[in-house]
Structures are given as C-alpha cells and as structure tokens.
Amino acid sequence: MTAERQELRERIRYQAGERFTRDEKTAAIAKDLRESEQSVERWRRAWREGGMDALASTGPSKLPRLSDGRFAELEKELTRGLAEHGWRTSGGPWHR
C-alpha cells in the first residue's frame, strides 16, 4: 500500500472514530464511508480499547520480501536484458 493510500485509510478510520463518539450505528457509518460493517466494527473495538490513537496507521501491512540489497541486485540483472540471460530477442518474446 502506498503512503498516500495509507494516509487515506487512516483518515477514513478517524472519520469513523468521530462518529463513534456520537454513538452512531455501525451500519450507517459503513454505508457512508463505503466500508464493510465488519471493518467498521473492528475499528470500533480498537477505538473502545485505545481511543483515537488506536485508529492511527501502523505502517505497511507487509514487509517487503526482498531486502534492499537483493532488490538492487535484481534491478541490476533486469537492466542487463534478456539476451544476457540466455533468452533470444528474435522469434517472439520469451524464447530460449
């Protein structure tokens, strides 16, 4: 998820949190925010336990599978091109 998308998701959770303070129904919040009731209820539980701070973004949901070093190595190899790795560049794509 991009940083922009994470920020958007956090803003949506905060909007829900504001509505939790007014004791609005989960179904109404979910409909207005275009979220599932299940998500809104999960946010409500977090909000009950930790307030608005519990709705803050915790960063990316997954860590990258490749380290920065391995990613740089992969990028270097990709820039070398198909022929450097034993693939023909004529006769159609992806032929050995």
Side-chain angles (χ1 to χ4, degrees), residues 57-92:
S57 177
T58 58
S61 58
K62 292 183 180 179
L63 294 175
R65 291 179 183 243
L66 294 177
S67 67
D68 289 344
R70 293 290 287 161
F71 187 83
E73 186 180 329
L74 174 61
E75 193 171 41
K76 177 182 162 191
E77 292 302 316
L78 288 171
T79 59
R80 289 179 53 205
L82 294 171
E84 288 292 316
H85 293 282
W87 296 89
R88 291 186 310 189
T89 56
S90 61

Side-chain angles (χ1 to χ4, degrees), residues 20-58:
F20 298 155
T21 65
R22 298 190 298 265
D23 201 29
E24 292 186 35
K25 302 282 186 199
T26 296
I29 297 170
K31 181 180 178 188
D32 292 347
L33 297 179
R34 296 182 176 178
E35 295 291 337
S36 71
E37 288 184 33
Q38 190 174 28
S39 290
V40 174
E41 192 54 43
R42 187 174 58 251
W43 301 340
R44 187 185 296 271
R45 281 193 302 274
W47 174 79
R48 280 187 195 127
E49 293 175 12
M52 292 296 274
D53 289 343
L55 301 175
S57 177
T58 58

